[in-house]
C-alpha cells in the first residue's frame, strides 16, 4: 500500500507485513476468515473481499476500523 505495507489474505484471515514484522489483523468486521481479494482505493482505504462480504477498512491512529460493509448476494 502507499505506506509500504504488504497485505496478505488467506483462508485463515488478514495479515500485514510492515517493517519486517507480520501482524495478523483481527476480524475487523470481515464476517469471514476467508479473504478473496484486497485493493487500496485512491483515498488510502483498504477494500477487503471475503466469501461473505466486501469491507472498506480505513486507517485510524495505526489501527483499522470497519468503514463500510456490503453482503455478497
Amino acid at each position: 500500500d502507499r505506506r509500504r505495507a504488504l497485505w496478505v489474505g488467506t483462508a485463515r484471515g488478514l495479515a500485514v507485513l510492515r517493517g519486517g514484522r507480520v501482524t495478523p489483523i483481527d476480524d475487523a468486521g470481515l464476517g469471514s476468515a476467508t479473504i478473496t481479494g484486497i485493493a487500496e482505493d485512491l483515498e488510502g482505504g483498504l477494500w477487503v473481499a471475503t466469501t461473505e462480504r466486501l469491507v472498506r477498512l480505513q486507517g485510524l491512529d495505526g489501527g483499522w476500523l470497519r468503514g463500510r460493509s456490503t453482503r455478497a448476494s
Side-chain angles (χ1 to χ4, degrees), residues 8-71:
V8 180
T10 70
R12 298 187 71 189
L14 183 65
V16 61
L17 173 62
R18 189 180 287 138
R21 183 177 212 172
V22 176
T23 305
I25 304 300
D26 66 10
D27 141 314
L30 297 176
S32 170
T34 303
I35 308 298
T36 59
I38 302 170
E40 183 180 18
D41 64 24
L42 295 175
E43 297 172 352
L46 189 73
W47 288 88
V48 179
T50 73
T51 53
E52 294 182 7
R53 63 186 67 197
L54 177 63
V55 178
R56 183 178 188 268
L57 303 176
Q58 186 172 346
L60 179 65
D61 298 329
W64 290 88
L65 297 177
R66 186 173 91 185
R68 193 178 297 155
S69 176
T70 305
R71 275 204 178 274

